Amino acid sequence: MSANASFRSEAIKAAKKIIVKAGTRLLIDRESIARLVDGIAHLRQAGHQVLLVSSGAVGMGMEIARVTKRPAELAKKQALAAMGQTKLMSIYAEEAAKHGFPVAQLLLTAADLRSRRRYLNVMNCINALWEQNVLPIANENDSVSVDELKFGDNDTLAGMLTSVAGADLTILLTTVDGLRDRDENGNLAGRFSMVEKITDKIKALAGGTDDNNLSIGGMDSKLRAAELATAAGAYLWIADGRDPEIFSKIIKGEDCGTIFLPRNHRVPGRKRWLGFFSKVSGALIVDDGAVKALIERGKSLLPSGVIAVKGEFRRGDTVEILSTTLKPVARGLVNFDAKDCLLLCGKHTPEVIEIMGKEAETEAVHRDNLVLVEL
């Protein structure tokens, strides 16, 4: 067995929890939705717990309203989503019932994952649904989302839910057969069967693959999802959802689509939240010695290594840690308000204690509450 085939076989056999994402262009009618649910039932019968990230609410609303082009106005898109979501879920419920399992709806905004408490609530809800043999179906809450609350696309949502649910594999079903290379003229060439690491060269290959009249996102968003999923220790598989046998091929570990390999280690849940979801309130600029201590020795960030403070933040907020060239190094939960950080810049531990008192923390950001940007 080749290394490629071995990784594919390992990915599906080891996957207890799987995220499946289907784009709008794959959910064009009841027959296509029924085929998707059949495939998910196949995964469930093979012993996998599945969460579906489903696009299609706006598209279904367009069908109901007899609209042929996705509107640009936010209110009109929200109205179409509200119309389409009810019909979409009713079809899912009816098709899943044919296989003997119920479905549940999870409508999410980015705010639901930025808050640590709400993030944990989402995680616990998903686990409770799985325990009751329910298929969770997640979608961005398009009927209420505004730009600052949006994930951007459901590829990104799928990548994020990989982390939230602790999934082992994410399958992005799309209308292409995987990530493709480009020839010297920039035209699409051969398919990448496997990607070990997402490099700048790989990112440069991405190009739009979807029809904006109906949907959003493209290969760029799929690579972003792959970064999120693989950093969380999961495999990600881009596959052609138009193929009626695609789930069977995936279960057999066949060479279809493009599989992305996980990072060497799974980042702990709290640090995944810090790295992917928490809202950054400010920044600490640190010297080269501090950067080295964080990256090479896994140390906490001490006030002595901080040379500047940006933004207004309070104790417990998430701050970005930047090098002197303003390159992101890490992010973490800060132990002091911004005004105190300014006061403590460059101060060593005895001075910190003298200024803040014996009961105060001596780290600006403790290593247990810190995650490196490269994870």
Side-chain angles (χ1 to χ4, degrees):
M1 180 183 292
S2 68
N4 189 348
S6 175
F7 281 124
R8 290 172 182 272
S9 179
E10 177 185 336
I12 191 65
K13 287 181 179 178
K16 292 183 178 180
K17 302 175 180 179
I18 297 177
I19 307 295
V20 174
K21 182 264 177 178
T24 297
R25 297 187 70 195
L26 296 174
L27 305 172
I28 56 177
D29 52 32
R30 188 178 191 112
E31 182 181 349
S32 61
I33 295 173
R35 188 164 55 246
L36 172 62
V37 175
D38 287 346
I40 289 172
H42 196 182
L43 288 176
R44 288 167 56 95
Q45 289 162 8
H48 307 286
Q49 294 176 314
V50 182
L51 181 149
L52 172 63
V53 177
S54 172
S55 301
V58 174
M60 193 71 71
M62 289 169 62
E63 180 181 319
I64 295 170
R66 298 183 181 181
V67 174
T68 58
K69 185 176 181 180
R70 189 183 182 96
E73 298 89 342
L74 176 62
K76 290 183 179 180
K77 285 187 289 187
Q78 290 174 327
L80 291 174
M83 294 167 64
Q85 189 66 34
T86 301
K87 182 176 179 181
L88 183 64
M89 286 304 300
S90 69
I91 296 174
Y92 275 127
E94 291 169 10
E95 293 301 326
K98 296 176 183 178
H99 296 278
F101 59 86
V103 301
Q105 177 177 256
L106 294 173
L107 293 177
L108 302 170
T109 68
D112 294 317
L113 301 184
R114 288 176 185 160
S115 160
R116 177 66 176 166
R117 178 177 295 179
R118 290 161 72 178
Y119 170 98
L120 292 173
N121 287 341
V122 173
M123 180 184 72
N124 292 334
C125 179
I126 291 169
N127 287 327
L129 290 170
W130 275 337
E131 288 174 3
Q132 298 178 61
N133 196 39
V134 177
L135 171 66
I137 301 178
N139 194 0
E140 180 150 23
N141 195 351
D142 289 318
S143 61
V144 300
S145 286
V146 291
D147 285 346
E148 62 267 25
L149 296 180
K150 294 181 75 67
F151 296 102
D153 53 75
N154 272 346
D155 292 324
T156 300
L157 175 57
M160 288 183 167
L161 286 175
T162 303
S163 175
V164 175
D168 309 292
L169 170 65
T170 295
I171 301 170
L172 300 183
L173 298 177
T174 184
T175 54
V176 294
D177 62 350
L179 176 67
R180 303 188 74 87
D181 203 351
R182 293 184 183 271
D183 62 23
E184 59 185 13
N185 296 318
N187 299 316
L188 292 177
R191 171 179 61 90
F192 282 89
S193 177
M194 181 177 72
V195 174
E196 295 186 45
K197 185 177 181 181
I198 302 172
T199 62
D200 289 340
K201 181 180 179 181
I202 291 294
K203 292 178 182 179
L205 298 172
T209 58
D210 289 328
D211 178 0
N212 289 334
N213 285 336
L214 192 63
S215 58
I216 58 175
M219 195 55 69
D220 283 322
S221 66
K222 288 165 182 57
L223 291 183
R224 172 58 178 158
E227 287 183 306
L228 292 167
T230 57
Y235 291 88
L236 183 133
W237 204 322
I238 298 175
D240 191 344
R242 299 168 299 180
D243 183 349
E245 302 298 322
I246 193 62
F247 283 105
S248 177
K249 291 177 180 179
I250 288 173
I251 288 175
K252 293 175 183 176
E254 293 185 13
D255 185 2
C256 58
T258 303
I259 190 167
F260 294 77
L261 305 190
R263 303 276 183 91
N264 292 330
H265 65 286
R266 182 183 288 271
V267 179
R270 180 178 176 81
K271 292 198 173 186
R272 291 202 304 272
W273 174 78
L274 271 173
F276 301 145
F277 307 110
S278 62
K279 183 178 180 180
V280 173
S281 300
L284 301 177
I285 301 172
V286 302
D287 61 28
D288 293 343
V291 171
K292 188 173 182 179
L294 294 174
I295 295 176
E296 297 182 10
R297 302 202 299 275
K299 297 294 186 179
S300 299
L301 175 63
L302 300 177
S304 59
V306 179
I307 58 177
V309 178
K310 294 178 63 177
E312 293 292 332
F313 52 83
R314 299 183 65 81
R315 167 185 164 86
D317 284 349
T318 299
V319 295
E320 199 165 28
I321 298 171
L322 308 174
S323 70
T324 53
T325 61
L326 302 186
K327 179 180 178 180
V329 176
R331 62 167 58 178
L333 304 180
V334 67
N335 283 332
F336 305 104
D337 294 348
K339 61 180 180 61
D340 289 329
C341 284
L342 280 168
L343 188 63
L344 298 174
C345 279
K347 299 292 192 296
H348 293 277
T349 299
E351 297 172 287
V352 173
I353 294 173
E354 183 178 345
I355 295 170
M356 303 300 297
K358 293 182 180 180
E359 303 301 320
E361 289 91 351
T362 56
E363 305 91 358
V365 180
H366 194 278
R367 64 184 179 185
D368 290 345
N369 295 324
L370 179 149
V371 60
L372 298 177
V373 167
E374 295 186 353
L375 301 178

